[in-house]
Amino acid sequence: MPVGSKKGSVIFSGFRALGLYSNHLSHVVRYHKKHREFYIVTSVGNCFHTYNVKKLGIVAVSNALPEDISYLAADRMLVYVAIGKKVSAFARNKEVVHTYTGHGADVHLLLPFGDHIISVDRDNAVIVWDVESEEEYLQITFDKVSFEVSAVMHPSTYLNKILFGSSQGGLQLWNVKSNKLLYTFTGWPSGVTVLQQTPAVDVVGVGLSSGQIIIHNIKFDESLMKFQQDWGPVTSLSFRTDGHPVMAAGSPLGHIGLWDLEEKKLVCQMRDAHNTAIAGLTFLHGEPLLITNGADNGIRVWIFDTAGGGGRLLRSRLGHSAPPTKVQHHGLNGHHILSAGQDGTLQSFSTVHERFNRSLGHGSINKKKSKKKSLRYDNLKLPAITTFASESARQSDWDSIVACHRGYLMTTTWNYQKGSMGAHKLEPERFNKNRALSVHATAVDITSCGNFVVVGLSSGHIDVYNMQSGMHRGQYGEDEAHRGAVRGVSVDGLNQLTVSAGADKLVNIWKFKSRKLVHSIDLGTRPVTTHLHRDSGMLAVALDDFTLNVMDLETKRIVRKFSGHRGQVNDMAFSPDGRWLITAAMDCTIRTWDLPSGCLVDCFLVDFAAVSLTMSPTGDFLASSHVDNLGIYLWSNNTLCGMVSLRPLPADYEPTAIMLPGTCPSQDEEGEGDADLDTEMIEYESPEQLDEQLVTLSLLADSRWKNLLHLDIIKQRNKPKVPPKVPKAAPFFMPTIPGLIPQFAPSEGSNQGEQSKIVNFGVLAQKSLFYQQLESAMLSNKYDGPVGMLKEMGPSGIDTELRGLAPDMGGDVSVLQGFLKMVASMLDSKRDFDLAQAYLALFLKLHLRLISQEPGLMEEASKVSEKLEETWTSMQTLFNQSLCLLSYTKSALL
């Protein structure tokens, strides 16, 4: 397979999404009888999440669908979702088990109805489906001009009856079993938006687009009471069932109205329950709990336990209501990610569990006044954060985060431990707080000690502040640090140097303490952003021409240049060890550059361009935020889990798209085309010898050959002082043959009757298997067999075999000569060099006297000696060259 056709990323694989909780669709509440617990199901794009109400902990995430979900419904067993013209049923909150196709337009309403599911599409066609068989049971078509279906419900105790509401204001009651229209209600001048069953039989709550709420008796077709809310159309209705006659109504402004049905009056207003329209609200059965969700990406649980009838927030799950613009890991453990969104909030998301999430709130010019007023209507609130810096070194003592706001000269401090805006607002005095000047903060950094803040401005000034007191401590340059806007500013890990990049195409290096200019580098092109890896002193600079420069602060030179992006580089991140530079650009690619080799080693496409990146300090996750996406997406680092072979990618490499984490299909459905390539890379086995000219050592443990010469000393030392005692009754055991690989001995009594009484004197020769292999190898001149046998033996076995080669032990001089030839062949092949030395040393120790007496053995020994000296001489030359080079690099001044 060609490299260019490989699917996805080699280094990163999608893990999950953080900060996604809800969208504009109403939630569904389910009750599990076995668990005796309520669950909330919310839609997030093309999948849905299931949470338990008790702790709002996520229980399940469904498999992804090809399109976004347009409606959500559920019964006791299944969750039903509408996607386009199809309806899908999910079991176990995860997998699709039924699909219903047959609509000619997009489905926008669903109602589970016993063994059936009722769906309504935009062409006003109503289809009743059998859940199990997936067959169409009934189809009803309404005239769109006179009755356009906008709401549907099943009245309690009304067998086989369905109540339809229309955008014209009328209602119709149908028997779906007999396909008959039973009754037509005249209705009201405004369109029906909500139909909800009240705790009383025959009584239905009707919400209208005019904001009117009618409690209507459908048995006698009469309205019992009417309410009017001034916040626009009614988006949802719910009734308390714990003994209090209270109705809650949602509005498009995010307010909730609570109405007393006995006294027929408004009890309480819960203003700004959500920042956007109330998508859904539900009172839990028999409990004083109200669950709400909205398009502001939030789920809230309210409890009614205080006087006055109003609810207080019990627990919530909140994400950004507008896409995040900047994400950054906070702390050294990589468990927390700070995120600034276009909604103006600064939030912290935990990669461990959602209960550790926290919101630091919305920036405000005057914090005390903002607490008295509602921040929604506060003209003192600050705009969205464009960039920020954080440092955890002194976060328990004072503020640890500094943020720049869109169009604002002032930078704000934030306290992570308190989870709120900090004590200081950093602003230079040179502009005399003249808001007419179009000067704003563009870049910020906090020193590694957490004591100082460096802020770059669009006017080219760079100021230093003290983090504890918020006082101005000086500026870089006599007047301006740059002749254009500052695009990036960073301080090294030891507070020795400050490096800044400006729109004047210069990178300036300053002394941090004296604030004097040390060095300046002309980039030739305007920089967009910079990122410093403090541990290695590498500064990455993204330029306007879509290229990347990497500068070494130690040598003050540009050491790497990368090109390949086809759009503006939005953000960069270094791996913790500084080997990789990961970049994201508007061309929707995320690229990984290997700094030591200077090559592109990984590249993949995403559907939405990444606007910010951050790598975990532990290197386990890469986090990204994307255009028009509310979530923060985690990508796991595959190199920590297994062997990943990184290869330089060609210049014409065309990456393939990967779905964002949390919306990924199951692993079984992912690309199989690169399975063979990955398997081949993982199962690669190194040959025994890379080249015939290279001296290769064996892979045996040192204990198998290192102590061969000292075996007699070891045996003497380990000799038992007291002879072993024979047990009275030995336990049953299977007899084994001694050796490194245990083998069961053949049974002695198995063929006792068939044994011959004639004694075979050939057995007395005591020729071992190794001895026989060595004899046959002398004839064929191939010694792999005996060498392999010696490799499998332990030190004692090798010693015994070599002693058995001597004539006085039943051996022969020719076999001794064959052993020397075997050692010579090992030296010729240059394999198992350490074993050849060990075996030869033991052989000479045992048989040196005999070798000196036999001319044939002396001649063979001299040949082995010559080969040994020749091999060792060449190796010694290589060792000396390497040692010489190493000593030169250590001592020479380069």
Side-chain angles (χ1 to χ4, degrees), residues 467-538:
M467 194 67 164
Q468 183 180 8
S469 63
M471 295 179 64
H472 187 267
R473 293 301 187 194
Q475 68 177 43
Y476 288 92
E478 295 180 2
D479 184 21
E480 299 172 352
H482 290 273
R483 294 182 181 176
V486 177
R487 299 291 175 86
V489 62
S490 303
V491 183
D492 69 351
L494 299 175
N495 290 3
Q496 298 296 312
L497 299 174
T498 302
V499 57
S500 63
D504 54 359
K505 307 178 184 179
L506 294 178
V507 172
N508 291 339
I509 300 175
W510 314 80
K511 282 285 186 183
F512 175 77
K513 193 172 182 181
S514 64
R515 294 185 282 280
K516 292 181 180 178
L517 183 63
V518 176
H519 192 72
S520 186
I521 299 174
D522 190 353
L523 297 172
T525 310
R526 288 185 177 182
V528 178
T529 183
T530 64
H531 184 72
L532 175 67
H533 186 255
R534 281 177 171 163
D535 292 344
S536 65
M538 293 292 175

Side-chain angles (χ1 to χ4, degrees), residues 21-30 39-45 47-49 69-74 79-82 108-110 193-196 234-238 250 274 277-283 290-296 298-299:
Y21 301 108
S22 171
N23 61 5
H24 63 283
L25 299 182
S26 175
H27 66 266
V28 180
V29 175
R30 307 176 71 194
Y39 292 94
I40 312 168
V41 182
T42 61
S43 170
V44 282
C47 65
F48 61 85
H49 294 178
I69 297 172
S70 56
Y71 199 84
L72 196 64
V79 176
Y80 303 94
V81 298
H108 69 106
L109 289 174
L110 292 175
T193 57
V194 182
L195 289 174
Q196 182 65 38
V234 180
T235 58
S236 51
L237 289 173
S238 187
H274 286 269
I278 304 292
L281 50 83
T282 308
F283 277 108
L290 175 66
I291 300 168
T292 62
N293 78 300
D296 60 349
I299 306 171

Side-chain angles (χ1 to χ4, degrees), residues 330 336 338 348 358 395 400-401 414-419:
H330 181 75
H336 302 281
L338 286 172
S348 171
R358 60 199 305 189
Q395 66 178 8
S400 57
I401 304 167
W414 300 71
N415 194 302
Y416 184 80
Q417 289 211 326
K418 293 180 181 177

